[in-house]
Amino acid sequence: MRKSRADEFLEFAAARTGQLFRSACLLTSGDTHLAEDLTQETLGRMYAMWGRMARIGNPAAYAQTVLVRTFLSHQRRRSATERPLGELPDRAPDDIGDPALRIALLDALAGLAPKDRAVVVLRYWEDRSIEETADALHVSSAAVRTRSVRALAKLRERLGGSITEFAAR
């Protein structure tokens, strides 16, 4: 029995939502609410074109590309820089990793320009090649290399000696 289009998409979405959300969290520097919105927007766009997915060889990689493009278009909006103040939202305890290190890294990522942040996430978190990153961002391979070098230098500058203090623990 052949699966319906909706069933195929639901299977894909169930398998990829967690990974898309983690990438979105990194892109948004830990803003889980915006990350959820970006993930939903990505899945909505993927569903709208799911019938044409046969032409795309790797839907998971394409979903990452859609996520990054959605993030970058959100960053171009004037309201993207608004931050609500108040108490932090309740989160489930995270037993993985050092919270101080996570906060330091997310703060350092937040200090990068959106395109620089996208390059860092795609290249070093998603482990994409330079060419794949260039395709996802619609830039040249040279631009990805340049942005990578500059973004990593900014991260090193922002983190300074604090990263070695976390690594020594």
Side-chain angles (χ1 to χ4, degrees):
M1 183 174 177
R2 182 163 155 67
K3 289 183 189 176
S4 73
R5 174 180 173 229
D7 290 338
E8 288 176 356
F9 178 77
L10 286 174
E11 188 176 302
F12 170 81
R16 300 302 302 171
T17 299
Q19 199 274 330
L20 287 170
F21 178 71
R22 284 187 296 277
S23 295
C25 282
L26 289 170
L27 288 169
T28 61
S29 300
D31 184 345
T32 56
H33 298 292
L34 178 57
E36 288 172 352
D37 291 345
L38 292 174
T39 302
Q40 288 177 351
E41 178 74 20
T42 298
L43 291 174
R45 290 180 183 188
M46 291 294 294
Y47 182 76
M49 66 173 306
W50 192 252
R52 296 175 285 184
M53 277 294 136
R55 291 183 288 180
I56 296 174
N58 188 349
Y62 187 73
Q64 284 298 125
T65 299
V66 172
L67 175 69
V68 169
R69 290 178 185 166
T70 303
F71 165 72
L72 290 174
S73 76
H74 173 77
Q75 290 300 306
R76 285 189 286 270
R77 292 186 205 135
R78 174 178 270 186
S79 64
T81 58
E82 295 176 0
R83 289 275 192 225
L85 298 176
E87 294 182 35
L88 291 175
D90 292 335
R91 291 193 218 185
D94 199 297
D95 296 335
I96 301 172
D98 182 8
L101 175 60
R102 291 180 128 198
I103 290 170
L105 290 174
L106 288 174
D107 285 345
L109 275 174
L112 296 177
K115 284 190 179 181
D116 289 346
R117 194 175 328 146
V119 167
V120 169
V121 169
L122 288 174
R123 288 280 295 130
Y124 303 105
W125 177 259
E126 296 296 326
D127 199 28
R128 287 200 184 186
S129 69
I130 291 173
E131 291 75 23
E132 290 171 331
T133 303
D135 286 343
L137 298 174
H138 290 301
V139 296
S140 68
S141 297
V144 170
R145 285 188 202 97
T146 302
R147 282 194 178 276
S148 293
V149 168
R150 289 182 184 162
L152 290 176
K154 286 179 187 175
L155 285 175
R156 283 186 198 103
E157 179 183 312
R158 290 183 191 281
L159 293 170
S162 65
I163 196 70
T164 55
E165 132 193 347
F166 291 119
R169 289 184 186 176

